[in-house]
Amino acid sequence: MPHLLSLVVPFYNEEDGVAALASAVLPILESIPESEWEIICVDDGSRDATLAALLALARKDARFKVVELSRNFGKEAAMTAGLDAARGAAVIPMDADLQDPPELIKKMVAAWHEGAEVVLARRVDRSTDGALKRATAAMFYKLNSRISNIDLPENVGDFRLMDRAVVEALKMLPERQRFMKGMFAWLGFKTVTLDYKRPPRAAGKSKFSGFRLWNFALEGFTSFSTAPLKIWTYLGALGAVVALAYALFIVVKTVLFGNTVPGYASIFVAVTFFGSVQLISIGVLGEYIGRIYIETKRRPVYLVRGKHGFEE
């Protein structure tokens, strides 16, 4: 019997890329022997004609299934919705912009048939990204590997193949604030890695601004490590050293040139020293307390407005 395999693709304002994605993936999927496919398309509250294009595709080809979320919940939530809806013996999440090359899917499935439970796709060439993005990405992976208690594979995104056992294990993780790359790495299982060169986007623009990427990195740091709670101590100490150095400068300046405002030096040192320590500590504690607050609400990760193309 052929295996049912699932391709999970989140969409957000990707109307220009729907047809291109279908044209690119279908020949690849059809060329893989002894397999049947379902393509789970998750519309993450798109504001353009993405949903209409997906529904038209689902009416044309029954292999396409559409999960319509009630609003924009973010890529991590949309991917979770797709993984929850997928029924395949193996599941492959990928981006809609075709920077995850469909040609690699055939090699992923072959590695899975050879016994791999997770098949990672690693980018060996990020020349399509800007220099700043490449530099900050490298910094993120290096810093995360030092402070986190998981080994996050460098230059590996969400594009991967996961055996059904891995997907079921992932569904057991109850987090509301979901850093999927870290969750994937935390699971473990027998893993192999395939390298590829990342092509440019087929259509549209990236939805991740610099600010969103920063928040994403912050989510990664705080989801699997308590090191930031310790780091603020050292940052506060650094601020204190700077304050003391400046205090020394003021003392020297006062001795040589006099001081027209008595008491200024001592007030400045005290305010700077304690302010730097307190503000940093409050900020880091706030990040963790905020995540605790969100988790205790136990709100669902996403809400589904409708499912299209699924069997009742």
Side-chain angles (χ1 to χ4, degrees), residues 115-192:
E117 295 168 307
V118 177
V119 184
L120 304 179
R122 180 172 57 197
R123 295 169 293 224
V124 295
D125 181 3
R126 301 189 62 158
S127 58
T128 57
D129 294 333
L132 179 60
K133 187 174 182 180
R134 293 197 302 270
T136 53
M139 290 173 57
F140 166 75
Y141 284 112
K142 289 180 180 178
L143 182 57
N144 190 85
S145 65
R146 291 188 177 184
I147 69 173
S148 178
N149 55 9
I150 61 169
D151 184 15
L152 195 63
E154 187 171 355
N155 289 324
V156 173
D158 300 319
F159 188 36
R160 65 190 63 214
L161 180 146
M162 294 179 288
D163 184 81
R164 169 52 54 181
V166 181
V167 176
E168 292 301 321
L170 181 66
K171 290 163 70 173
M172 295 172 62
L173 303 185
E175 289 99 310
R176 268 68 181 170
Q177 292 283 98
R178 301 177 75 81
F179 178 62
M180 297 300 288
K181 289 183 178 64
M183 295 171 70
F184 290 147
W186 184 88
L187 292 173
F189 289 90
K190 185 179 179 181
T191 302
V192 300

Side-chain angles (χ1 to χ4, degrees), residues 5-309:
L5 307 178
S6 301
L7 192 67
V8 173
V9 190
F11 287 82
Y12 179 62
N13 294 343
E14 298 279 1
E15 61 177 316
D16 296 332
V18 173
L21 176 79
S23 299
V25 301
L26 284 178
I28 302 298
L29 304 184
E30 291 170 351
S31 69
I32 300 175
E34 298 182 1
S35 64
E36 294 179 355
W37 287 87
E38 61 175 6
I39 300 98
I40 309 295
C41 303
V42 183
D43 178 60
D44 188 22
S46 297
R47 298 179 181 179
D48 59 3
T50 298
L51 178 60
L54 291 176
L55 293 177
L57 191 60
R59 287 191 293 268
K60 182 179 178 181
D61 190 333
R63 291 172 294 184
F64 285 88
K65 322 289 183 183
V66 180
V67 178
E68 178 189 357
L69 301 188
S70 62
R71 64 169 177 85
N72 177 239
F73 286 90
K75 182 183 176 182
E76 309 292 277
M79 190 186 311
T80 301
L83 294 173
D84 289 344
R87 303 169 298 160
V91 181
I92 302 175
M94 68 176 291
D95 291 340
D97 56 17
L98 293 177
Q99 287 192 289
D100 298 335
E103 296 79 11
L104 203 60
I105 294 176
K106 195 168 185 177
K107 295 182 180 179
M108 288 180 165
V109 174
W112 175 60
H113 282 306
E114 292 172 1
E117 295 168 307
V118 177
V119 184
L120 304 179
R122 180 172 57 197
R123 295 169 293 224
V124 295
D125 181 3
R126 301 189 62 158
S127 58
T128 57
D129 294 333
L132 179 60
K133 187 174 182 180
R134 293 197 302 270
T136 53
M139 290 173 57
F140 166 75
Y141 284 112
K142 289 180 180 178
L143 182 57
N144 190 85
S145 65
R146 291 188 177 184
I147 69 173
S148 178
N149 55 9
I150 61 169
D151 184 15
L152 195 63
E154 187 171 355
N155 289 324
V156 173
D158 300 319
F159 188 36
R160 65 190 63 214
L161 180 146
M162 294 179 288
D163 184 81
R164 169 52 54 181
V166 181
V167 176
E168 292 301 321
L170 181 66
K171 290 163 70 173
M172 295 172 62
L173 303 185
E175 289 99 310
R176 268 68 181 170
Q177 292 283 98
R178 301 177 75 81
F179 178 62
M180 297 300 288
K181 289 183 178 64
M183 295 171 70
F184 290 147
W186 184 88
L187 292 173
F189 289 90
K190 185 179 179 181
T191 302
V192 300
T193 302
L194 303 177
D195 293 335
Y196 74 98
K197 293 184 178 180
R198 194 178 198 191
R201 289 177 63 94
K205 297 180 179 179
S206 174
K207 309 305 183 297
F208 280 89
S209 62
F211 183 70
R212 289 190 66 185
L213 287 172
W214 162 252
N215 285 332
F216 185 70
L218 191 61
E219 188 72 41
F221 294 144
T222 56
S223 292
F224 290 89
S225 174
T226 57
L229 291 171
K230 303 174 184 177
I231 289 175
W232 74 264
T233 303
Y234 302 105
L235 293 177
L238 178 62
V241 170
V242 173
L244 291 173
Y246 191 66
L248 180 61
F249 167 76
I250 292 174
V251 170
V252 174
K253 181 180 178 183
T254 301
V255 171
L256 296 178
F257 303 103
N259 185 7
T260 58
V261 184
Y264 167 76
S266 59
I267 293 175
F268 175 84
V269 171
V271 171
T272 306
F273 179 82
F274 291 108
S276 61
V277 173
Q278 291 170 356
L279 289 177
I280 294 173
S281 62
I282 290 172
V284 175
L285 287 171
E287 289 291 337
Y288 281 90
I289 293 172
R291 281 155 177 73
I292 295 171
Y293 174 65
I294 292 173
E295 293 294 335
T296 55
K297 288 183 178 182
R298 302 189 63 81
R299 289 175 180 169
V301 177
Y302 59 87
L303 293 175
V304 176
R305 185 171 182 268
K307 289 187 175 183
H308 311 274

